[in-house]
Amino acid sequence: AGGDCAHWGPAQRLLINPEVEVAIIENGPEAMLREGLAYDRCQVGGITNIDPTQIPSDGYVDIPERLCLLLRTQLDVVLPTGLAVLNAADPLVAAMAPLCDGEVILFAADPEQALLAAHLGGGGRALSVRAGQAVLLGAGAAEAVADLADLGSGVADAGLVDNLLAAIAAAWALGL
């Protein structure tokens, strides 16, 4: 299907398709308020950022803290054996890590990001960028998995790098 498919209907069609092995579903704040999630539990849930300028027009979610409460729904449905992928560079997102019942993988483009270092120091897994490479970090090891230069000049945009790191972290969480 073409167009905006970040809604309950397209997500349900994807989930009931017997040919689908892995589904990645975007849940924006407006759709979550209007329709809810198309599933009740998931193996991997992620939050890339919380943009206070994207406050929905519902009259209830009127401040960034309430937007956080809405978006944390994605973490609330992660299975205890599942994993959350969270942006360590966004303080509102990173603060949600303890709310996940499963493991947490943090990501940040800056490998010197303090929360990333603390998470790794506590035995966690993370993803970052070193020398132009997306690098998996954990258990004292680092493995380069993607050369950002190979992905085109548009990847230099910080938001695209964050989205790429989140996608790689989700794939890592699923063992892909």
Side-chain angles (χ1 to χ4, degrees), residues 7-82:
H7 301 285
W8 194 90
Q12 265 298 296
R13 285 191 295 280
L14 185 65
L15 291 171
I16 64 172
N17 184 332
E19 299 296 315
V20 172
E21 293 180 32
V22 175
I24 298 172
I25 299 169
E26 179 182 2
N27 297 303
E30 292 278 354
M32 289 172 70
L33 281 168
R34 279 192 319 272
E35 304 165 344
L37 299 176
Y39 48 90
D40 58 351
R41 301 294 276 175
C42 63
Q43 289 176 291
V44 179
I47 302 175
T48 55
N49 64 21
I50 295 179
D51 183 352
T53 66
Q54 291 191 353
I55 293 187
S57 58
D58 72 320
Y60 173 73
V61 179
D62 55 355
I63 56 175
E65 290 76 13
R66 286 195 175 148
L67 183 58
C68 289
L69 289 174
L70 171 64
L71 294 177
R72 82 165 261 192
T73 303
Q74 185 57 62
L75 299 183
D76 292 339
V77 299
V78 172
L79 293 163
T81 56

Side-chain angles (χ1 to χ4, degrees), residues 1-5 9-10 13:
D4 181 2
C5 291
R13 285 191 295 280

Side-chain angles (χ1 to χ4, degrees), residues 101-125:
D101 289 337
E103 182 188 348
V104 173
I105 291 180
L106 293 180
F107 68 89
D110 177 6
E112 303 301 319
Q113 209 285 336
L115 289 175
L116 204 67
H119 185 67
L120 288 167
R125 295 192 285 168

